[in-house]
C-alpha cells in the first residue's frame, strides 16, 4: 500500500511528520502557528523524614487566557512514584503517560516494585532523543526500596538529584521560600505547610500560576494523600439572568453586589449650574469671569 | 495573521442535568470574505457522542474523516459504540501524533457516558486534553465565549434552560467577533432524544 493513501491500517505509534512540509510552507507565507496550551506553572518537591512531598498549582494557560482553572499537574507514574509536569501540556501528559505504561510493563516483567531511578532514566532518554523539542520540565519523586528520591528533569534531558526542587515559571518564587525555610528531617505537617507556602508564593507572584494547590505525600508504606487546598471558590448566586423565552431578550439583573468602598459627593444647585459642594467658591468666581 | 483566523469559528459545549448541549456558528470564510453561511462544524459520531471541530476547515474535515474511520473500525471489532472518554483519548492521540507538524484544529467533544452522565472535553491543536465540569469553548470567538459562559452558567440546568443559556452565550459572543456568526447550530442531547436547532443571528 502506498504511503500517500489515507485509508490504511492505523500506524504503530511514534510521531508522524507528514504535515510538516505544508506547515513550513504556511509559515513561509507569514502564517503564525497556534499557541499551545502551557501549564506555566509552579511545581515543587521536597524530601521529608518519611518520604517525598510533591506540590503543584492548577492553572493551565493558552497565551494570556486561562483555559483551565483546575487542571491536574501531578501525574501518576507508579503506585510509589508521582511526577509533576511543567511546560507544554500535551508534552507533559504524553511523556508521563508513556513512561507510566513502560513502568507497568517492566513491573510485570520483573515482578518487583518500580524504582524512581528507572522512571528517571526512561524519561531522560526520551527527552534527550528529541533534543528539547518536547517541552516538558518535570519534578519526579517517589519512595522505593532504596529510600526516598527526588529528581528534576529538564526538556533537553539533563537531570538533577536534590533534597528540594522547583520548576516552572513560578520556580523562583517557590525556591525563595524553600531556600529560607527548608531544613532536613521535617515531619509531615511541617513539610505540607512548607510546600503549600512555596506554591502559594508562586501563585501570588507569578502570572502563569494560579487557582488551587495540589499536594501529594508519598511515604514508605506507599500510602498517598492527595490534598487540595481551595483558595478561590465560585459562587453561582451572584448573577441572575432572566431570559424572555422567545429568545430575543436578555434581562441581566445583579444581586448581592457589595462594593468595597463608596465615596459620594453631594451636588448643590447654584445659579442653574450643578457644582460639587467643596469647589463651590472657586467655581463661582470662574463663572463670573466667564460671564463677563 | 494566525492560521486559526483563516476560516473563523465559534464552538461551545455546556453541561446540564443528565444532558449536554453543543453549539457552533455557521459561517465559513476565507479571511474577510464569507463563502458559506450554513457550514456544519458539529458532527455526530454516534447517538450519544458529538464532536465539533474549529480552526482551519480543511484540517477539520480531514480529522473528522480519520476519526469516523477509526470509530467504524472500533464498532466492527468491539460491536459497540465508543465511550466519550475513550473517544477523547483517541482524538488526543491522533493530534499528538502530529506534534511537530500539527493539524490546525481545536476539537470540542461532548457525549453521554455511562449512567447518562454528560462528558465534555476540549483539546488544543496538539492534543492536550482539558476535561471541564461546566463548559468548554473553542474558536476565534473563544475569548468572548469564556466571558459569556462564565457569567451565564449555572450547574444542573434542565434541557430547556440549557438551550436558552447556551444560545444566548453563543450569539452574544459571535456578535463580538468578525470572523464567526451568521446564526448558530445547537444540539441538545438527553438520554432519550437529540434535538437539533438552528438559530437566527445577525447576518454580518
Amino acid at each position: 500500500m502506498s504511503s500517500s493513501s489515507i485509508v490504511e491500517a492505523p500506524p504503530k505509534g511514534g510521531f508522524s511528520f507528514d504535515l510538516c512540509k505544508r506547515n513550513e510552507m504556511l509559515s513561509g507565507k507569514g502564517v503564525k502557528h497556534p499557541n499551545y496550551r502551557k501549564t506555566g506553572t509552579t511545581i515543587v518537591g521536597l524530601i521529608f523524614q518519611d518520604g517525598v512531598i510533591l506540590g503543584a498549582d492548577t492553572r493551565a494557560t493558552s497565551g494570556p487566557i486561562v483555559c483551565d482553572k483546575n487542571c491536574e499537574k501531578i501525574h501518576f507514574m507508579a503506585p510509589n512514584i508521582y511526577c509533576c509536569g511543567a511546560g507544554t501540556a500535551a508534552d507533559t501528559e504524553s511523556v508521563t503517560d508513556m513512561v507510566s505504561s513502560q513502568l507497568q510493563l517492566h513491573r510485570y516483567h520483573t515482578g518487583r516494585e518500580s524504582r524512581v531511578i528507572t522512571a528517571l532514566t526512561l524519561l531522560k532518554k526520551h527527552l534527550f532523543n528529541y533534543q528539547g523539542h518536547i517541552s516538558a520540565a518535570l519534578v519526579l519523586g517517589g519512595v522505593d526500596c532504596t529510600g526516598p528520591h527526588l529528581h528534576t528533569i529538564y526538556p533537553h534531558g539533563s537531570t538533577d538529584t536534590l533534597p528540594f526542587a522547583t520548576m516552572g515559571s513560578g520556580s523562583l518564587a517557590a525556591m525563595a521560600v524553600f531556600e529560607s525555610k527548608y531544613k532536613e528531617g521535617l515531619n509531615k505537617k511541617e513539610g505540607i505547610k512548607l510546600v503549600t507556602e512555596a506554591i502559594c508564593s508562586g501563585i501570588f507572584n507569578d502570572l502563569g500560576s494560579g487557582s488551587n494547590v495540589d499536594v501529594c505525600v508519598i511515604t514508605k508504606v506507599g500510602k498517598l494523600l492527595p490534598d487540595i487546598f481551595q483558595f478561590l471558590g465560585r459562587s453561582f448566586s451572584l448573577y441572575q439572568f432572566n431570559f424572555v423565552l422567545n429568545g430575543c431578550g436578555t434581562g441581566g439583573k445583579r444581586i448581592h453586589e457589595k462594593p468595597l468602598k463608596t465615596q459620594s459627593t453631594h451636588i448643590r444647585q447654584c445659579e442653574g449650574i450643578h457644582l460639587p459642594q467643596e469647589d463651590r467658591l472657586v467655581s463661582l468666581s470662574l463663572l463670573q469671569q466667564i460671564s463677563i | 495573521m494566525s492560521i486559526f483566523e483563516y476560516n473563523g469559528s465559534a464552538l461551545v459545549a455546556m453541561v446540564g442535568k443528565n444532558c449536554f448541549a453543543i453549539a457552533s456558528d455557521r459561517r465559513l470564510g476565507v479571511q474577510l470574505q464569507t463563502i458559506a453561511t450554513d457550514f456544519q462544524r458539529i458532527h455526530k459520531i454516534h447517538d450519544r457522542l458529538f464532536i465539533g471541530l474549529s480552526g482551519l476547515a480543511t484540517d477539520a474535515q480531514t480529522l473528522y474523516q480519520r476519526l469516523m474511520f477509526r470509530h467504524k473500525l472500533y464498532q466492527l471489532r468491539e460491536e459497540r459504540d465508543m465511550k466519550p472518554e475513550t473517544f477523547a483519548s483517541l482524538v488526543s492521540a491522533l493530534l499528538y501524533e502530529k506534534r511537530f507538524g500539527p493539524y490546525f484544529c481545536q476539537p470540542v467533544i461532548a457525549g453521554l457516558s455511562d449512567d447518562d452522565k454528560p462528558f465534555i472535553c476540549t483539546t488544543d491543536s496538539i492534543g492536550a486534553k482539558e476535561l471541564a465540569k461546566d463548559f468548554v469553548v473553542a474558536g476565534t470567538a473563544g475569548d468572548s465565549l469564556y466571558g459569556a459562559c462564565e457569567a451565564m452558567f449555572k450547574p444542573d440546568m434542565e434541557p430547556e434552560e440549557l438551550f436558552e443559556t447556551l444560545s444566548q452565550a453563543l450569539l452574544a459572543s459571535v456578535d463580538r467577533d468578525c470572523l464567526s456568526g451568521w446564526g448558530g447550530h445547537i444540539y441538545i442531547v438527553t438520554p432519550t432524544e437529540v434535538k437539533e436547532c438552528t438559530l437566527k443571528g445577525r447576518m454580518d
Side-chain angles (χ1 to χ4, degrees):
Chain A
M1 236 185 196
S2 74
S3 57
S4 59
S5 153
I6 296 175
V7 182
E8 57 185 19
K12 286 278 174 199
F15 292 122
S16 142
F17 296 95
D18 50 352
L19 288 179
C20 285
K21 214 165 166 194
R22 174 200 76 159
N23 293 357
E24 278 283 307
M25 183 269 294
L26 282 173
S27 45
K29 294 203 169 155
V31 167
K32 277 185 343 186
H33 78 87
N35 274 330
Y36 301 140
R37 182 167 308 140
K38 295 206 164 252
T39 57
T41 275
T42 310
I43 48 176
V44 304
L46 64 71
I47 295 188
F48 72 112
Q49 69 190 33
D50 297 325
V52 173
I53 307 181
L54 298 173
D57 73 307
T58 61
R59 172 183 285 183
T61 56
S62 169
I65 305 288
V66 175
C67 46
D68 196 351
K69 291 187 282 191
N70 206 342
C71 74
E72 270 184 31
K73 298 186 192 178
I74 306 188
H75 308 283
F76 172 87
M77 299 286 264
N80 57 325
I81 307 174
Y82 277 71
C83 184
C84 308
T88 304
D91 289 334
T92 56
E93 273 174 34
S94 316
V95 117
T96 48
D97 271 347
M98 186 194 73
V99 171
S100 168
S101 309
Q102 288 180 346
L103 283 177
Q104 174 82 302
L105 284 172
H106 192 250
R107 277 202 294 284
Y108 285 139
H109 246 93
T110 57
R112 291 192 172 100
E113 191 188 60
S114 298
R115 298 193 190 190
V116 183
I117 199 87
T118 317
L120 179 72
T121 311
L122 289 168
L123 284 165
K124 76 194 294 192
K125 268 185 73 171
H126 183 77
L127 290 174
F128 180 73
N129 230 351
Y130 287 94
Q131 288 292 294
H133 289 285
I134 294 189
S135 164
L138 309 165
V139 169
L140 175 73
V143 179
D144 55 30
C145 56
T146 52
H149 297 278
L150 180 69
H151 304 282
T152 54
I153 305 154
Y154 291 83
H156 286 264
S158 62
T159 58
D160 281 323
T161 306
L162 300 160
F164 57 91
T166 66
M167 290 288 254
S169 55
S171 63
L172 269 66
M175 188 52 98
V177 172
F178 272 171
E179 286 285 8
S180 43
K181 298 192 181 171
Y182 178 81
K183 55 185 207 290
E184 287 193 15
L186 288 165
N187 67 27
K188 186 165 108 176
K189 210 166 124 208
E190 292 167 350
I192 294 181
K193 184 161 171 289
L194 184 57
V195 160
T196 320
E197 254 189 81
I199 300 284
C200 288
S201 160
I203 288 175
F204 295 132
N205 297 306
D206 174 43
L207 300 177
S209 318
S211 297
N212 313 319
V213 180
D214 282 348
V215 174
C216 169
V217 179
I218 309 172
T219 54
K220 220 185 297 188
V221 190
K223 261 204 294 222
L224 154 69
L225 177 74
D227 256 326
I228 296 163
F229 299 82
Q230 199 133 21
F231 288 102
L232 304 163
R234 203 173 145 190
S235 168
F236 292 106
S237 60
L238 283 179
Y239 299 92
Q240 225 177 40
F241 278 84
N242 300 317
F243 294 114
V244 176
L245 273 174
N246 63 14
C248 286
T250 311
K253 193 174 73 176
R254 283 192 190 194
I255 55 174
H256 297 154
E257 183 77 29
K258 286 202 187 74
L260 283 172
K261 184 179 151 191
T262 316
Q263 182 181 14
S264 60
T265 316
H266 285 293
I267 298 177
R268 281 186 42 177
Q269 201 157 18
C270 191
E271 296 178 17
I273 297 173
H274 294 273
L275 297 164
Q277 199 167 358
E278 310 84 68
D279 302 323
R280 191 173 142 234
L281 287 172
V282 174
S283 307
L284 255 181
S285 59
L286 271 174
L287 270 178
Q288 282 163 356
Q289 284 176 359
I290 293 165
S291 57
I292 294 166
Chain B
M1 191 226 22
S2 157
I3 191 64
F4 280 115
E5 289 164 16
Y6 189 74
N7 290 127
S9 52
L11 264 178
V12 54
M14 215 183 246
V15 156
K17 191 173 180 150
N18 288 339
C19 64
F20 69 87
I22 180 168
S24 77
D25 72 318
R26 303 179 74 204
R27 177 185 176 271
L28 175 72
V30 169
Q31 291 179 297
L32 295 174
Q33 184 186 36
T34 304
I35 304 219
T37 56
D38 56 359
F39 189 63
Q40 181 85 312
R41 284 205 167 84
I42 300 176
H43 305 280
K44 184 172 94 156
I45 303 289
H46 61 78
D47 275 327
R48 289 156 68 101
L49 180 58
F50 285 77
I51 182 167
L53 293 160
S54 72
L56 195 63
T58 170
D59 277 352
Q61 284 182 339
T62 307
L63 191 61
Y64 166 64
Q65 285 165 5
R66 293 209 152 181
L67 288 168
M68 274 316 281
F69 166 64
R70 297 290 293 266
H71 182 252
K72 284 181 179 166
L73 262 185
Y74 184 92
Q75 273 178 327
L76 287 171
R77 288 191 181 124
E78 304 250 340
E79 293 177 7
R80 64 181 175 94
D81 289 331
M82 228 189 234
K83 284 196 215 149
E85 294 87 352
T86 317
F87 188 71
S89 297
L90 171 67
V91 173
S92 175
L94 270 186
L95 290 172
Y96 193 70
E97 224 174 40
K98 306 257 186 270
R99 164 67 171 90
F100 298 115
Y103 286 118
F104 296 124
C105 191
Q106 242 189 313
V108 165
I109 299 149
L112 283 174
S113 57
D114 301 332
D115 306 328
D116 298 335
K117 264 191 64 170
F119 170 87
I120 51 171
C121 166
T122 182
T123 78
D124 70 349
S125 56
I126 46 173
K129 268 190 290 194
E130 182 206 323
L131 309 160
K133 297 199 173 63
D134 39 19
F135 57 86
V136 290
V137 306
T140 47
D143 292 352
S144 311
L145 277 165
Y146 272 125
C149 291
E150 191 79 53
M152 298 189 197
F153 177 78
K154 284 197 311 280
D156 288 331
M157 283 188 278
E158 295 295 329
E160 294 77 28
E161 211 193 333
L162 181 65
F163 165 72
E164 204 50 62
T165 311
L166 193 59
S167 31
Q168 292 291 348
L170 178 74
L171 291 176
S173 309
V174 303
D175 282 348
R176 284 284 182 179
D177 178 33
C178 311
L179 297 165
S180 48
W182 289 82
H185 252 134
I186 174 167
Y187 291 79
I188 300 111
V189 181
T190 58
T192 48
E193 67 165 359
V194 172
K195 203 157 67 160
E196 175 186 350
C197 310
T198 308
L199 301 169
K200 183 164 128 91
R202 287 183 59 92
M203 317 283 209
D204 62 357

